[in-house]
Amino acid sequence: MVLWAEDCLEGLPRRVGAGGADVVVTSPPYNRGVAYGRYDDRRPREEYLAWIGRVADAVHAALAPHGSFFLNVGGSPTDPWLPLDVAQELRRRFVLQNVIHWVKSIAIERALAGATPHLTGDIAVGHYKPVPSRRFLHGAQEYVFHFTHRGDVSLDRLAVGVPYQDKSNVARWRSGGADRRCRGNTWFLPYATIRRRVTDRPHPATFPPELPERCYRLHGTDRIRLAVDPFVGLGASAVAAARLGLPFVGFDVDVHYLATASRRLHEALPSPRPPTGPRVSRKSQVPGPRR
Ligand SMILES: C[S@@+](CC[C@H](N)C(=O)[O-])C[C@H]1O[C@@H](n2cnc3c(N)ncnc32)[C@H](O)[C@@H]1O
């Protein structure tokens, strides 16, 4: 487990090398003016997309022939095209094998839930960020684009599968036999509730560790020799890798985020800790962590 305080454009070729990553799960800055510590998230669109293209080139070189690249990007009410523009940039290098919708909150009416035995009433669950607008709905979804080199990567769908509601399907469908079916491409994953943002989640744009964990399982954990995150932030992808016992390399230009990532990683690693990890390595021009 290594977290590098380094620009991923330099770090990917240097630390991972050609074809060294079996799975990449990441979320880049979205260029929406978010107040990151070291990164300027307000750049002209063309410049930002050209940079995303360079990141895509670096990941393309680092990704193994049968690797998976899961790219999480979200839009905003006033800029719904952003994730699709990013995906178009990636389209020049990769095949878009799956589009997953990360659902942060959802409302389900009991009357529409069919014969579901446990649901006794309507539910509205998950993260709710009100938008004071008469035009826009609140944003409850982000994309996770699943890119591969040729669109032919076998996935372990049942590793992230769900039980059948109607048990007669267990025998009916060939994928049955076990009581498990493909979950599909809508993933409800809320954020953990926190008390104080500044101490509990000191970063403006994270995903929950359950998101990368599900991506790793879907790719197939037995085929992952190295998981990589070029934009590791507070280390959700590293925590997920630790939970599954996967070797991991991550990069971020902000040592303060990496300090939190390292602490979370320590907490996630099984005891006794392996002698090698986690380790935060730092390039000389990046300032040291705050004391
Ligand atoms: C959307 S956040 C990632 C958050 C992460 N998924 C998490 O759950 O904590 C993007 C991160 O990219 C970092 N970053 C920006 N430019 C970078 C670069 N060139 N190389 C590495 N990291 C960079 C930012 O500091 C920021 O922490």
Side-chain angles (χ1 to χ4, degrees):
M1 292 271 167
V2 190
L3 305 174
W4 292 98
E6 195 169 25
D7 186 323
C8 64
L9 288 177
E10 296 169 22
L12 282 167
R14 186 181 297 154
R15 317 291 179 187
V16 178
D22 296 302
V23 66
V24 175
V25 184
T26 199
S27 182
Y30 298 171
N31 206 37
R32 278 167 34 182
V34 166
Y36 291 109
R38 282 186 61 93
Y39 172 80
D40 177 9
D41 197 39
R42 208 182 292 273
R43 298 155 76 175
R45 182 73 144 230
E46 292 305 310
E47 182 187 313
Y48 169 72
L49 289 176
W51 174 72
I52 286 287
R54 291 203 297 283
V55 172
D57 285 338
V59 174
H60 192 272
L63 193 69
H66 288 95
S68 284
F69 175 19
F70 294 91
L71 183 72
N72 161 230
V73 198
S76 69
T78 52
D79 193 0
W81 288 111
L82 185 267
L84 305 172
D85 286 351
V86 169
Q88 288 291 351
E89 220 24 76
L90 277 277
R91 185 179 189 173
R92 301 183 192 161
R93 287 100 173 155
F94 293 97
V95 174
L96 181 55
Q97 189 169 322
N98 285 283
V99 176
I100 298 158
H101 300 270
W102 168 24
V103 177
K104 300 177 181 182
S105 79
I106 191 150
I108 301 174
E109 280 74 25
R110 174 70 194 90
L112 300 178
T116 312
H118 307 299
L119 195 62
T120 52
D122 299 345
I123 57 169
V125 283
H127 174 76
Y128 175 60
K129 188 176 172 192
V131 173
S133 167
R134 291 172 66 89
R135 291 190 293 156
F136 300 123
L137 301 171
H138 95 99
Q141 172 268 4
E142 292 197 14
Y143 293 94
V144 180
F145 299 113
H146 174 220
F147 290 104
T148 58
H149 284 294
R150 290 182 301 275
D152 60 355
V153 173
S154 302
L155 299 173
D156 193 352
R157 300 190 313 164
L158 297 189
V160 297
V162 292
Y164 284 97
Q165 283 297 314
D166 176 355
K167 301 299 180 195
S168 68
N169 285 320
V170 177
R172 187 176 311 149
W173 304 113
R174 269 203 317 135
S175 63
D179 179 9
R180 221 146 176 84
R181 66 163 173 84
C182 173
R183 170 184 293 273
N185 66 351
T186 50
W187 293 2
F188 172 58
L189 291 167
Y191 286 105
T193 307
I194 53 173
R195 284 167 197 263
R196 288 189 68 230
R197 184 174 190 103
V198 68
T199 50
D200 295 347
R201 201 155 58 219
H203 189 289
T206 59
F207 49 48
E210 290 73 23
L211 181 74
E213 185 170 336
R214 198 170 282 177
C215 295
Y216 297 148
R217 287 186 191 280
L218 178 62
H219 179 77
T221 51
D222 55 344
R223 292 189 294 129
I224 301 177
R225 292 157 304 157
L226 184 65
V228 173
D229 187 347
F231 303 103
V232 78
L234 297 191
S237 50
V239 167
R243 286 179 185 168
L244 297 171
L246 302 173
F248 178 88
V249 169
F251 303 92
D252 205 289
V253 287
D254 193 315
V255 286
H256 303 311
Y257 296 154
L258 289 176
T260 303
S262 178
R263 180 178 50 73
R264 292 175 83 198
L265 198 42
H266 264 294
E267 288 162 7
L269 284 168
S271 287
R273 316 259 185 254
T276 54
R279 194 154 51 88
V280 177
S281 300
R282 188 182 311 146
K283 272 184 76 183
S284 54
Q285 72 259 36
V286 180
R290 239 180 253 137
R291 303 274 169 218

